[in-house]
Amino acid sequence: MTLNEVPVGGICTVTKLKGEGKLRRRIMDMGITKGVEIKVVKIAPLGDPMELNVRGYELSIRKAEAESIEVQ
């Protein structure tokens, strides 16, 4: 399952980052790494962006970025 499939209020754990190069580095710089717990706080009406709670702070990412993050 990928992060963009998690419903609002859902809590998941990152298992793998599928992106490459700059996209992968950007995601890791935001604090999303393997083993991190993420809570989906809100999703915009059209599904883009998503607001997440990661490591105690709020973070917004695009749907395309969320598709490259595998969770369980």
Side-chain angles (χ1 to χ4, degrees):
M1 171 167 50
T2 58
L3 183 57
N4 65 316
E5 298 170 358
V6 178
V8 174
I11 298 174
C12 57
T13 303
V14 177
T15 57
K16 183 179 178 182
L17 297 175
K18 295 190 286 186
E20 294 182 10
K22 290 182 181 182
L23 174 63
R24 183 181 172 103
R25 184 81 230 155
R26 184 174 184 279
I27 291 171
M28 291 175 66
D29 288 345
M30 290 187 286
I32 300 174
T33 56
K34 187 176 178 181
V36 168
E37 190 173 271
I38 298 175
K39 179 178 181 182
V40 178
V41 179
K42 291 189 259 187
I43 299 177
L46 298 176
D48 200 19
M50 302 174 69
E51 186 174 320
L52 312 171
N53 185 298
V54 181
R55 299 180 188 251
Y57 69 93
E58 301 298 316
L59 172 69
S60 292
I61 65 170
R62 293 198 163 127
K63 189 176 181 179
E65 295 168 337
E67 290 174 352
S68 67
I69 302 169
E70 288 188 12
V71 297
Q72 67 176 29

